[in-house]
Amino acid sequence: MLKGKKIVLGITGGIAAYKAAELTRECVKREASVRVIMTKNAAEFITPLTLQTLSGHPVFMDMYVPMRDFEMAHISLAEFADAVVIAPATANVIGKIASGLADDLLTTTVMATKAPVLICPAMNTNMYGNIIVKENINKLSASGYLFIEPAFGELACRAEGYGRLAEIPDIMEEIESVLTDKDLMGENILVTAGPTREPFDPVRFITNYSSGKMGYALAIAGKRRGANVTLISGPSALPVPRGVKHISVSTAVEMRDAVMENMETASVIIKAAAVADYRPQVRMNTKIKKREGELAVRLERNPDIIAEVGKKKGNRILVGFAVETENLMENARTKLREKNMDIIVANDVTQEGAGFAYDTNIVKIIGTDGNIEDVPLMDKMEAADRILNRIKNIIEQRS
Ligand code: CTP
């Protein structure tokens, strides 16, 4: 989602400077246009050539050397930037920015830019704990500079504690957030995701192929757009998204209870979970042992969560999914009507690139007004934004 976004990456002199290479690569992979500024000390830890190769542009280091990058010749880096990211940021550069010093290209750019500045500190634990560093960070935070906390762990100096550069996926997520319009600010979005597990003994259960990817994408996209997001998730291997309230459940009954407890404050409810319609009638306390002949497990109905929500949703916008292998539109329209949804996302999982395990999806978004939007094969994050756009349309129509 960083396509076409302009990022100025400032690298300062700490051992974590080598991680800036991966950060640059990730930004470029997401189609951002990256320009790197390195301090002299940064160049002691990683070569400008590495960053030049990865960013595809000359690296800027010196204020007084004419810029070689033709495209940049007449625009200052401060104006070019949609966001400035300093990673790693040493105690020294944080101190300089906090004191209003601008004695090199990086601090000058930071001083001159109107773009958001994201500072990713990395330093020795004791330095990070130093009261002056803390005061500088607090002062800059209060002035609107954004920080991503260092991670806990072993540092290059062998000490253990806070001070490691935050993990690259976490920094990337923060960059994505910083560069996303906050058009869903004030909305409280409740998302369910993933499969459920319905156990019939302590070691076995019934489940489905849901990975949780579509629901997690919706939660992340909603959070990036400024909404408060609660994600109720069945078992999923996906990492817990930053900045989202995450509630972990296992069975359909647990998911129902969590949804009911949390729906009160929600303005939008998105049911992307693949809930098991049936559960074993009896859950044995001990493992079922094999015997001669057949084994029958009787199943009973699980609660239909979205149907329950539909009955008491009030003004909340209710979005459901229809996972189908035949009669997609007909089945989806029936579910939309019968479960009192506002939008249904119809998902024909027999198509290549659509459904549970893929990073992509192909869906049709159907509203109660009969409007059908075809969402062709695309990344689940992009599909999530299309669904959120449709939700936003309803919010706008109502207000
Ligand atoms: N759903 C739910 N609770 C259930 C079953 C489904 O909340 N016990 C929700 C899903 O999260 C989804 C929508 O209902 O948003 C449709 O789910 P789907 O499995 O496609 O349909 P079902 O209603 O279960 O109907 P069927 O299995 O007969 O297709």
Side-chain angles (χ1 to χ4, degrees):
M1 315 300 256
L2 292 180
K3 194 173 179 158
K5 299 285 185 192
K6 292 173 280 186
I7 298 171
V8 170
L9 173 63
I11 308 174
T12 64
I15 183 62
Y18 77 93
K19 296 182 184 172
E22 199 192 331
L23 190 61
T24 305
R25 226 179 92 80
E26 233 353 276
C27 291
V28 170
K29 212 165 96 189
R30 297 187 196 194
E31 298 182 55
S33 184
V34 183
R35 300 294 184 279
V36 176
I37 303 177
M38 289 173 77
T39 62
K40 283 203 178 66
N41 288 343
E44 299 288 330
F45 291 93
I46 184 166
T47 72
L49 183 61
T50 303
L51 280 310
Q52 174 175 323
T53 309
L54 292 173
S55 69
H57 295 277
V59 167
F60 301 96
M61 290 186 66
D62 201 322
M63 289 227 278
Y64 303 108
V65 174
M67 290 181 178
R68 285 162 297 158
D69 186 346
F70 187 74
E71 190 196 331
M72 292 299 301
H74 302 291
I75 330 164
S76 81
L77 290 159
E79 280 172 33
F80 166 85
D82 291 322
V84 176
V85 179
I86 309 179
T90 54
N92 182 52
V93 81
I94 293 169
K96 285 208 285 189
I97 300 170
S99 313
L101 293 179
D103 65 348
D104 60 10
L105 188 59
L106 178 58
T107 46
T108 310
T109 304
V110 169
M111 185 79 87
T113 194
K114 289 191 173 149
V117 179
L118 174 65
I119 301 177
C120 313
M123 62 195 77
N124 163 276
T125 306
N126 294 340
M127 284 172 92
Y128 187 62
N130 183 292
I131 184 71
I132 296 174
V133 174
K134 291 266 176 248
E135 279 172 11
N136 287 337
I137 291 176
N138 290 343
K139 179 176 170 188
L140 288 172
S141 299
S143 310
Y145 288 84
L146 304 164
F147 279 84
I148 178 158
E149 282 258 302
F152 185 89
E154 193 187 329
L155 287 107
C157 56
R158 300 273 178 268
E160 204 182 61
Y162 286 96
R164 280 168 61 88
L165 183 70
E167 299 303 327
I168 301 298
D170 292 340
I171 298 178
M172 288 308 303
E173 187 46 41
E174 233 23 65
I175 296 174
E176 294 270 10
S177 257
V178 166
L179 289 170
T180 305
D181 277 352
K182 301 289 175 258
D183 61 348
L184 292 174
M185 195 76 138
E187 298 301 325
N188 292 313
I189 305 183
L190 178 65
V191 183
T192 69
T196 62
R197 283 181 183 171
E198 311 298 332
F200 50 91
D201 77 8
V203 293
R204 303 181 184 98
F205 51 82
I206 298 170
T207 190
N208 56 59
Y209 287 115
S210 170
S211 59
K213 284 180 182 164
M214 193 64 239
Y216 277 58
L218 281 156
I220 294 167
K223 188 267 313 188
R224 285 183 190 168
R225 291 170 70 159
N228 284 319
V229 178
T230 301
L231 173 63
I232 299 175
S233 176
S236 166
L238 299 172
V240 173
R242 277 174 70 82
V244 161
K245 179 179 169 193
H246 184 265
I247 300 171
S248 176
V249 296
S250 186
T251 64
V253 169
E254 286 170 18
M255 186 173 279
R256 193 260 317 265
D257 293 346
V259 169
M260 294 306 151
E261 263 171 47
N262 287 278
M263 74 172 275
E264 189 57 35
T265 50
S267 54
V268 177
I269 301 173
I270 309 176
K271 290 277 303 119
V275 185
D277 287 322
Y278 293 89
R279 63 170 177 260
Q281 201 171 43
V282 179
R283 178 184 181 166
M284 305 300 287
N285 289 328
T286 52
K287 187 182 160 198
I288 300 172
K289 302 297 283 181
K290 68 176 171 298
R291 298 205 174 84
E292 288 304 315
E294 293 175 356
L295 170 74
V297 176
R298 274 189 88 79
L299 303 178
E300 64 184 4
R301 280 290 301 270
N302 259 330
D304 189 327
I305 307 172
I306 200 164
E308 274 186 48
V309 172
K311 284 188 190 127
K312 48 172 105 161
K313 69 173 187 167
N315 302 331
R316 295 172 188 86
I317 297 171
L318 181 58
V319 183
F321 277 70
V323 170
E324 305 293 344
T325 53
E326 57 187 355
N327 303 330
L328 179 70
M329 295 304 284
E330 192 188 324
N331 288 337
R333 283 203 186 94
T334 309
K335 286 176 190 175
L336 175 73
R337 194 178 55 247
E338 289 183 352
K339 300 191 184 195
N340 197 21
M341 303 176 194
D342 297 281
I343 295 171
I344 190 152
V345 183
N347 205 179
D348 177 354
V349 289
T350 60
Q351 287 177 281
E352 184 75 17
F356 289 154
Y358 292 99
D359 286 331
T360 53
N361 216 347
I362 308 166
V363 298
K364 291 180 194 302
I365 309 175
I366 311 167
T368 43
D369 54 4
N371 193 329
I372 302 167
E373 184 184 341
D374 262 308
V375 179
L377 180 76
M378 64 176 67
D379 186 86
K380 280 183 175 165
M381 282 305 301
E382 282 178 66
D385 266 324
R386 296 286 187 99
I387 296 166
L388 292 173
N389 289 347
R390 192 67 179 265
I391 293 170
K392 196 184 141 203
N393 284 347
I394 300 185
I395 296 170
E396 283 170 352
Q397 276 164 21
R398 288 186 184 174
S399 59

